[in-house]
Amino acid sequence: MQKLIPIINQLQDLYTTIRSKQHDRENSDSLPPLDLPQIVVIGSQSSGKSSVLDALVQKECIPRSSGICTRRPLVLQLIRVEQPIVVKNKEYREWGEFLHRKGEIFVDFEEIKAEIVRDTERITGVGRDISDLPINLKVYSPDVVNLTCVDLPGITRVPVGDQNKNIEHLIREMCLKYIRRPNAFILAVTPANTDIATSDALQLAAEVDPDHSRTLGVITKVDLMDRGTDAVDILKGKVYPLQLGYIGLVLRSQEDIQNGKTVKNAIRDEAVYFNTHEKYAPYASKLGVPFLAKTLNYHLIQHIKTCLPGIRDSIRRSITHLNRELARMGNSILDGNPQAALVDMLASFTESYRAALDGSSSQETKHLSPGARIGYILNDKLPAHFETLDPSNTVNRQDIRIAILNAMGTKTAVFTPNSAFESLAKKQLQLLHRPSKLAVSLVCKELSSLLHACIHKYFSRYNRLIEAVATISSSVLEDCAKPTVKLIDNLIAIELSYVNINHPDFQTPDKYMDDIINEKMKQQELELQAQQLQQQNQQQKGGVAKDFDAMTSKIRRKFQQQQNSQPAAASEPKVAAPRVTLLDTGLPQHLIPNSELSNHEEFYVSQLERMLTDYYRIISKKVLDSVPKAIQHFLIDSSKRDLHNVLLSKLMGENVEELLAEDASAVAKRKMLRQELELMTSSLEIIDSIRDFQDF
């Protein structure tokens, strides 16, 4: 069973290597986290966390200082070895190795502490910042049991000195990040001389492990409790029960460290303390550092047995993820035939453009595809815009009257002048020009967006090629848009140059006049019928009404006679004002007729108003039919037909290799993905080397 822990250590090394490289690479797609079984040590500052780890190693290897000692996670792998190592012709029973300094052996544990500080400052800088990028340290010794522990920064509540103002939140989130993983085994360190009910470590562990099934409590500083008190009830779980229980420790004090007391001597003194203490002697076999090491070793192995199948599945998912990323990036084109590769890429690009417009490539059901969006512009938005155009806002009845008068000049006319109709019709038809050109602009915008999407889909790895294809594609669109706009300009100009009153859908002027006369006659008939009906109603009224009308008329005549018989009031003799005629007043500079329409003018204006309405309807229908056809033929179909040939003619040359040169970040990313895939494949091979999990 003991070989399970070294297997997990290998996986931990591989995954830390991947994470370290990802940390050095900006804007990278990180692998999904690999949840490896490991013991995570949490506790408040000065709880004795570092001393616990030193005791497990039986050597002083954790740096100490005021404030936060641990500023990066320290993955401490303890490996039991019986054979010494020979360095420079000298044997060493204990030594250490760092993952970030492969091949180097540290036999001086003071140098190990110094390297931890150096590598911490390499990432966090000199100061008190923290980072979640771990440091991996392996310690080989005949005095340790196989273990893997992760030491995290001590929980603090108040920032001190130049510490980050939200240091409590940062450390808390880092701790939660590690312990909330289901495969994490939590070692919650709490000093015995504090109230366990306020233990930061236990409170944090309870948030992610509410049933306490993967939390082991460690009570440090048992020897520093107030005189007359002990930690027996805490160790028995009577104060705050944990399924895995508590283990009490007596570690080196600061005075012991300053006096040079070794860790091994401290462990011997701890055993003496527990065996001779009145309260702790009955439980001495389950207290102390040796029992903690054996317990952690047992629980870690059981935890690994439970988690190993899930780890295998997680590694396989990571391999699938990496293969998918590599397939998306593809191989470097410059390794083969660059010109052939460019031809294939351009063919795929232009075919994707065509398919998107034709609607043959989209399986989208949530929103419209590019081709459908253009269809919506031509078949829905453009007709709807035409419907909102009101020609009567451009030409009203007063405009029609003035146009008729201007067309007649000094003479009068029996019929409506043609020139008045033509001038007014042209004014209304100009309304159709702007929305027709606007439709071209909207379609161009959609085509440009589609090209942009296709370019980044097929050429995302080649910045220079992206720039070249984008420039050429825009030029093709512009070349196709020019004849489209010109045709629409000509289409409107044609209608303005010749007003065809002989159009088959257009009635003759006489027919319009007949319609008006018929409507007038019907209106007069209705008015006559209404008058006759009113007279019949009055005749049916009673005699009382007639007498009342006669009496009213008699009173009105008598009152008028009295008014006429009264003498006129004396007044000043009136002086006759000089008579002013209309001709005496002259004419204003801008003359607008303000009198009501005569019957003759009413017929003329009504006739012309109807003719204008019908002619505008006929021509707008014609323009609405022609504009989408022009856009489809000159803009859409031409761009689909010309794009591929223009790209080939302008890009196939001696600078193909330069166009296909990948961005340095893409090359680095492909290399990193391959390395990660190799590492994860090695991880799977390590897992698969265990034939049957139940054998352990």
Side-chain angles (χ1 to χ4, degrees), residues 130-149:
I130 63 173
S131 168
D132 64 351
L133 185 64
I135 299 174
N136 279 53
L137 170 62
K138 292 182 180 180
V139 174
Y140 298 84
S141 171
D143 300 325
V144 300
V145 296
N146 291 328
L147 277 181
T148 300
C149 300

Side-chain angles (χ1 to χ4, degrees), residues 402-466:
I402 293 175
I404 294 173
L405 293 174
N406 288 338
M408 291 189 298
T410 61
K411 302 176 183 179
T412 58
V414 178
F415 302 103
T416 307
N418 286 344
S419 60
F421 172 73
E422 289 187 6
S423 64
L424 295 173
K426 292 177 180 180
K427 189 173 182 181
Q428 289 185 334
L429 293 180
Q430 288 176 350
L431 288 173
L432 304 175
H433 196 194
R434 181 179 174 276
S436 300
K437 294 182 69 173
L438 186 59
V440 178
S441 298
L442 288 176
V443 172
C444 279
K445 184 177 180 181
E446 291 296 324
L447 293 176
S448 179
S449 297
L450 173 58
L451 284 170
H452 180 79
C454 292
I455 286 171
H456 284 272
K457 177 181 178 181
Y458 288 95
F459 311 125
S460 60
R461 294 156 49 191
Y462 314 102
N463 290 340
R464 294 179 182 176
L465 185 58
I466 285 176

Side-chain angles (χ1 to χ4, degrees), residues 524-561:
Q524 290 175 357
E525 289 178 4
L526 292 174
E527 291 177 354
L528 182 60
Q529 291 175 3
Q531 290 176 0
Q532 292 174 352
L533 183 61
Q534 185 178 7
Q535 290 175 0
Q536 290 176 3
N537 291 336
Q538 290 176 353
Q539 291 174 0
Q540 293 174 1
K541 290 182 180 180
V544 175
K546 292 181 179 179
D547 293 342
F548 178 78
D549 291 341
M551 185 181 298
T552 304
S553 298
K554 185 177 181 181
I555 294 171
R556 187 181 296 111
R557 285 196 300 272
K558 186 175 182 180
F559 177 77
Q560 187 65 37
Q561 291 173 0

Side-chain angles (χ1 to χ4, degrees), residues 426-610:
K426 292 177 180 180
K427 189 173 182 181
Q428 289 185 334
L429 293 180
Q430 288 176 350
L431 288 173
L432 304 175
H433 196 194
R434 181 179 174 276
S436 300
K437 294 182 69 173
L438 186 59
V440 178
S441 298
L442 288 176
V443 172
C444 279
K445 184 177 180 181
E446 291 296 324
L447 293 176
S448 179
S449 297
L450 173 58
L451 284 170
H452 180 79
C454 292
I455 286 171
H456 284 272
K457 177 181 178 181
Y458 288 95
F459 311 125
S460 60
R461 294 156 49 191
Y462 314 102
N463 290 340
R464 294 179 182 176
L465 185 58
I466 285 176
E467 184 178 348
V469 173
T471 301
I472 296 171
S473 300
S474 298
S475 176
V476 170
L477 278 186
E478 290 177 7
D479 292 342
C480 294
K482 288 176 182 177
T484 310
V485 173
K486 186 172 181 59
L487 178 71
I488 290 174
D489 290 341
N490 289 336
L491 181 64
I492 302 299
I494 288 170
E495 298 298 338
L496 295 178
S497 66
Y498 183 73
V499 177
N500 183 18
I501 61 174
N502 294 319
H503 193 282
D505 295 335
F506 190 64
Q507 297 181 144
T508 63
D510 293 342
K511 183 66 170 62
Y512 285 104
M513 185 60 72
D514 291 341
D515 290 343
I516 294 172
I517 292 172
N518 291 334
E519 289 179 7
K520 288 287 185 181
M521 291 177 63
K522 288 180 180 179
Q523 184 179 358
Q524 290 175 357
E525 289 178 4
L526 292 174
E527 291 177 354
L528 182 60
Q529 291 175 3
Q531 290 176 0
Q532 292 174 352
L533 183 61
Q534 185 178 7
Q535 290 175 0
Q536 290 176 3
N537 291 336
Q538 290 176 353
Q539 291 174 0
Q540 293 174 1
K541 290 182 180 180
V544 175
K546 292 181 179 179
D547 293 342
F548 178 78
D549 291 341
M551 185 181 298
T552 304
S553 298
K554 185 177 181 181
I555 294 171
R556 187 181 296 111
R557 285 196 300 272
K558 186 175 182 180
F559 177 77
Q560 187 65 37
Q561 291 173 0
Q562 291 177 354
Q563 289 284 24
N564 293 334
S565 62
Q566 290 180 359
S571 59
E572 294 290 333
K574 294 184 179 180
V575 179
R579 185 175 181 182
V580 179
T581 65
L582 291 176
L583 291 178
D584 293 329
T585 60
L587 295 176
Q589 183 178 359
H590 299 287
L591 179 60
I592 299 175
N594 55 10
S595 59
E596 293 184 0
L597 293 174
S598 65
N599 290 335
H600 193 62
E601 287 179 325
E602 179 66 36
F603 277 107
Y604 280 165
V605 170
S606 298
Q607 178 194 28
L608 209 57
E609 186 177 33
R610 295 188 180 201

Side-chain angles (χ1 to χ4, degrees), residues 42-44 155 179 186-190 198-206:
I42 59 173
S44 59
I155 302 167
I179 65 176
I186 305 171
L187 191 66
V189 179
T190 304
T198 62
S199 168
D200 292 325
L202 291 174
Q203 288 179 7
L204 207 59

Side-chain angles (χ1 to χ4, degrees), residues 1-4 7 301-302 304-306 308-309 312 687-696:
M1 289 203 320
Q2 292 296 327
K3 80 173 187 177
L4 284 176
I7 287 174
I301 290 173
Q302 297 303 315
I304 292 172
K305 286 174 59 179
T306 303
L308 215 49
R312 171 188 277 174
I687 294 292
D688 288 341
S689 67
I690 307 172
R691 298 299 179 187
D692 188 356
F693 300 123
Q694 302 302 322
D695 291 344
F696 297 95

